[in-house]
Amino acid sequence: MSSAPHLTDFPSCGQATHLRLTHQVAKVGSWSLDTGTGRLHWSPELCALLEVGSNYLPSLEEGLAFFLPSGRRRVRSALDRCLNEGIPFDVDAPARTARGNRIRLRTLGESVRPPGAAAAHIHGICQNVTSLHRMREALRIQEERFRLLASATNDAIWDWNLETDDVWWNDGVETLFGYRQEEVGTEMARWMAMIHPDDRAEVRASLTEAFKSRSTTWAGEHRFRRADGRWAWVLVRAQLVRNESGRVIRVVGGMTDLTSHHELEQQLARSRNLESLGRLAGGIAHDFNNALASILGSIELLLLDPPTDPQARADLEQVRQSARRGARLTGQLLALARRQVLRPERLVLNHLVEDGISTARPMLPRDIRLKFRPGGGMPPIVADARQLEAVLHQLLVNSAEAMPDGGTILVETMVEEPVKPDGMPLVVLRVRDHGVGMDDTTLERAFDPFFTTKSEPGAGLGLAAVHGTIIQSGGTVDVESTPGVGSTFTVRLPTEHTEPPMAEGVR
């Protein structure tokens, strides 16, 4: 704490005049308190600050009255400690001049006992810090406003000082990307290191071009690494602050997470591609199915009076089997295109699953075990039993193929309560395996037609047909998978409540 000058130390003559001018420029006035008389002695500069006559000699209480109540208590308390304990003080408090003008006074004081004096005096100075206080208050408001805006936005805000190469981040960098402040660092090189290697050169070039131009803004999209190692698509928008010579000295910007937007765009593009492919496949399958029906009809007629030559009869049987495989393929194509002729009926999912598991067992390897865990109180659904059983078969076959060394496939059914209060419950069919699982790339394309990780010809339509059938039935199908852990397919179908649910024992 600075020591207040003693009135006894003030120089005289020219030096005193110089000191008074200095006090006037600095808006400083001196004062002293005679503890014996309780009177204050103010310098002419202090009298001018408080807009009173230069010969004004107030009492302590009259002097304290210039301070507003909140400040008056603090100044009085500081004076008491200084007088009783000898503790110097420095108090910033609001005051009002004799003419009613509001000012801010910084008051400093210390206790001095002159030689031969019976009691200590207090000497000090007062400085008008109104302008400084206003600037500080304006800065505080601006900082608070910036802090509130930075916390209210969903963006990660950053401020890059090119003079020091320091970078400040708001809490958005943790909210959006999972980084703590100490992890993201304060150097711009750390930010650059978090940009995807394939995007880094383009970002540098774009930023350099913006610096060289006279532009005051910069924007771009790139991939940014999250704390967990995944990549996020971000939109960066920034303001470039230049000095008088036009050189960029500061960049303030924000990063918006566009990952969900990019994923939606990709899903929309994939959906459009699948829709186009489905329409094409559906048209071809319809015509092909008609041709196959004619072939199969002719073969059945020929087999009513089979040829006597065993080889000719075997060839005819092989043609029939090939035609039937073609018919199944066209059925999958029609399911993909959602152009199957569905024959919905009211049924209980548990009964259908029990029958489906029985008919699926011969289709699966012997080292595959099936476990069924039926849910209770299952409401009825309206669906095509034949197509729904085909969906179950395909999911079981898919799970069995994911467990080449054998294992257990768990089939579960349950009721899922509606998310909305006025919504209808859903019936859930879940098929879980402990197979090889799928990585993110495979998982993303699991329901794409003709996509497969197997090498067999004609593969790649099974899950696409499952997706088409369930969507055409008014439901949804999702998959979760972890490499080395297994996959879980979940089918959700709407329930039908026009009549009470059928009892589980009624077949």
Coordinates of all heavy atoms in Angstrom, one line a residue, residues 419-448:
V419 N -42.8 -42.6 -25.9 CA -42.1 -41.4 -25.5 C -43.0 -40.3 -25.1 O -42.9 -39.6 -24.1 CB -41.1 -40.9 -26.5 CG1 -40.3 -39.7 -26.1 CG2 -40.1 -42.1 -26.8
K420 N -44.0 -40.0 -26.0 CA -45.0 -39.0 -25.8 C -46.2 -39.5 -24.9 O -46.6 -40.7 -25.1 CB -45.5 -38.4 -27.1 CG -44.4 -37.8 -28.0 CD -45.0 -37.3 -29.3 CE -43.9 -36.6 -30.1 NZ -44.5 -36.1 -31.4
P421 N -46.8 -38.7 -24.1 CA -47.9 -39.1 -23.3 C -49.1 -39.7 -24.1 O -49.8 -40.6 -23.6 CB -48.3 -37.9 -22.5 CG -47.1 -37.0 -22.5 CD -46.4 -37.3 -23.8
D422 N -49.3 -39.1 -25.3 CA -50.5 -39.6 -26.1 C -50.1 -40.6 -27.1 O -50.8 -40.9 -28.0 CB -51.1 -38.4 -26.7 CG -50.2 -37.6 -27.6 OD1 -48.9 -37.8 -27.5 OD2 -50.6 -36.8 -28.4
G423 N -48.8 -41.1 -27.0 CA -48.3 -42.0 -28.0 C -48.8 -43.5 -27.7 O -49.3 -43.8 -26.6
M424 N -48.6 -44.3 -28.7 CA -48.9 -45.8 -28.5 C -47.6 -46.5 -28.2 O -46.6 -46.2 -28.6 CB -49.5 -46.3 -29.8 CG -50.8 -45.6 -30.3 SD -52.2 -46.0 -29.3 CE -52.5 -47.7 -29.9
P425 N -47.8 -47.6 -27.4 CA -46.6 -48.4 -27.1 C -46.1 -49.2 -28.3 O -46.9 -49.3 -29.3 CB -47.1 -49.4 -26.0 CG -48.6 -49.4 -26.2 CD -49.0 -48.1 -26.7
L426 N -44.9 -49.6 -28.3 CA -44.3 -50.3 -29.4 C -44.0 -51.7 -29.0 O -43.6 -52.0 -27.8 CB -43.0 -49.6 -29.9 CG -43.2 -48.2 -30.5 CD1 -41.9 -47.6 -30.8 CD2 -44.1 -48.2 -31.7
V427 N -44.1 -52.7 -29.9 CA -43.6 -54.0 -29.7 C -42.2 -54.2 -30.2 O -42.0 -53.7 -31.4 CB -44.6 -55.0 -30.3 CG1 -43.9 -56.4 -30.3 CG2 -45.9 -55.1 -29.5
V428 N -41.3 -54.7 -29.4 CA -39.9 -54.8 -29.8 C -39.5 -56.2 -30.0 O -39.8 -57.1 -29.2 CB -39.0 -54.1 -28.7 CG1 -37.6 -54.2 -29.1 CG2 -39.5 -52.6 -28.6
L429 N -38.8 -56.5 -31.1 CA -38.1 -57.7 -31.4 C -36.6 -57.5 -31.4 O -36.1 -56.6 -32.2 CB -38.6 -58.3 -32.7 CG -37.7 -59.5 -33.2 CD1 -37.8 -60.7 -32.3 CD2 -38.2 -59.9 -34.6
R430 N -35.8 -58.2 -30.6 CA -34.4 -57.9 -30.5 C -33.6 -59.2 -30.7 O -34.0 -60.2 -30.1 CB -34.1 -57.3 -29.2 CG -32.6 -56.9 -29.0 CD -32.5 -55.9 -27.8 NE -33.0 -54.6 -28.1 CZ -33.7 -53.9 -27.2 NH1 -33.8 -54.3 -26.0 NH2 -34.1 -52.7 -27.6
V431 N -32.7 -59.2 -31.6 CA -31.8 -60.4 -31.9 C -30.4 -60.0 -31.6 O -29.8 -59.0 -32.2 CB -32.0 -60.8 -33.4 CG1 -31.0 -62.0 -33.6 CG2 -33.4 -61.2 -33.7
R432 N -29.8 -60.7 -30.6 CA -28.5 -60.3 -30.1 C -27.5 -61.5 -30.3 O -27.8 -62.6 -29.9 CB -28.5 -59.9 -28.6 CG -27.3 -59.3 -28.1 CD -27.4 -59.3 -26.5 NE -28.6 -58.7 -26.1 CZ -28.8 -57.4 -25.8 NH1 -27.8 -56.6 -26.1 NH2 -30.0 -57.0 -25.4
D433 N -26.3 -61.2 -30.8 CA -25.3 -62.3 -31.0 C -24.0 -61.8 -30.3 O -23.9 -60.6 -30.0 CB -25.1 -62.6 -32.4 CG -24.5 -61.5 -33.3 OD1 -23.3 -61.0 -32.9 OD2 -25.1 -61.0 -34.2
H434 N -23.1 -62.7 -30.2 CA -21.8 -62.4 -29.6 C -20.7 -62.7 -30.7 O -19.7 -63.4 -30.4 CB -21.5 -63.2 -28.3 CG -22.5 -62.9 -27.3 ND1 -22.5 -61.7 -26.5 CD2 -23.6 -63.5 -26.8 CE1 -23.5 -61.7 -25.7 NE2 -24.2 -62.8 -25.8
G435 N -20.9 -62.2 -31.9 CA -20.0 -62.6 -33.0 C -18.9 -61.6 -33.2 O -18.5 -60.9 -32.2
V436 N -18.5 -61.5 -34.4 CA -17.3 -60.6 -34.7 C -17.6 -59.2 -34.6 O -16.7 -58.3 -34.5 CB -16.8 -61.0 -36.1 CG1 -16.3 -62.4 -36.1 CG2 -17.8 -60.8 -37.2
G437 N -18.9 -58.8 -34.7 CA -19.2 -57.4 -34.7 C -18.9 -56.6 -36.0 O -18.3 -57.2 -36.9
M438 N -19.2 -55.3 -36.0 CA -19.0 -54.5 -37.2 C -18.3 -53.2 -36.7 O -18.6 -52.7 -35.7 CB -20.3 -54.1 -37.8 CG -21.0 -55.3 -38.5 SD -22.6 -54.8 -39.3 CE -23.7 -54.9 -37.8
D439 N -17.3 -52.7 -37.6 CA -16.7 -51.4 -37.3 C -17.7 -50.3 -37.8 O -18.7 -50.6 -38.3 CB -15.4 -51.3 -38.0 CG -15.4 -51.5 -39.5 OD1 -16.5 -51.3 -40.1 OD2 -14.4 -51.9 -40.1
D440 N -17.3 -49.1 -37.5 CA -18.2 -48.0 -37.8 C -18.5 -47.9 -39.3 O -19.6 -47.6 -39.7 CB -17.5 -46.7 -37.4 CG -17.5 -46.5 -35.9 OD1 -18.3 -47.3 -35.2 OD2 -16.7 -45.7 -35.3
T441 N -17.5 -48.2 -40.2 CA -17.8 -48.1 -41.6 C -18.8 -49.1 -42.1 O -19.7 -48.9 -42.8 CB -16.4 -48.3 -42.4 OG1 -15.5 -47.3 -42.0 CG2 -16.7 -48.2 -43.9
T442 N -18.6 -50.4 -41.6 CA -19.6 -51.4 -41.9 C -20.9 -51.2 -41.3 O -22.0 -51.4 -42.0 CB -19.0 -52.8 -41.4 OG1 -17.7 -53.0 -42.0 CG2 -19.9 -53.9 -41.9
L443 N -20.9 -50.7 -40.1 CA -22.2 -50.4 -39.4 C -23.0 -49.4 -40.2 O -24.2 -49.5 -40.3 CB -21.9 -50.0 -38.0 CG -23.1 -49.8 -37.0 CD1 -23.8 -51.2 -36.8 CD2 -22.7 -49.3 -35.7
E444 N -22.3 -48.4 -40.7 CA -23.0 -47.3 -41.4 C -23.7 -47.8 -42.6 O -24.7 -47.2 -43.1 CB -22.0 -46.2 -41.7 CG -22.6 -44.9 -42.3 CD -21.5 -43.9 -42.4 OE1 -20.7 -43.7 -41.5 OE2 -21.5 -43.2 -43.5
R445 N -23.2 -48.8 -43.2 CA -23.7 -49.3 -44.5 C -24.5 -50.7 -44.3 O -24.7 -51.4 -45.3 CB -22.6 -49.5 -45.5 CG -21.9 -48.2 -45.8 CD -20.9 -48.3 -47.0 NE -21.7 -48.7 -48.2 CZ -21.1 -49.1 -49.3 NH1 -19.7 -49.2 -49.4 NH2 -21.8 -49.4 -50.4
A446 N -24.8 -51.1 -43.1 CA -25.3 -52.4 -42.9 C -26.6 -52.7 -43.7 O -26.8 -53.8 -44.1 CB -25.6 -52.6 -41.4
F447 N -27.4 -51.7 -43.9 CA -28.7 -51.9 -44.5 C -28.7 -51.4 -46.0 O -29.7 -51.4 -46.7 CB -29.8 -51.1 -43.8 CG -30.1 -51.6 -42.4 CD1 -29.7 -50.9 -41.3 CD2 -30.7 -52.9 -42.2 CE1 -29.9 -51.3 -40.0 CE2 -30.9 -53.3 -40.9 CZ -30.5 -52.6 -39.8
D448 N -27.5 -51.1 -46.5 CA -27.4 -50.7 -47.9 C -27.5 -51.9 -48.8 O -26.9 -53.0 -48.5 CB -26.0 -50.0 -48.2 CG -25.9 -48.6 -47.6 OD1 -26.9 -48.2 -47.0 OD2 -24.9 -47.9 -47.9

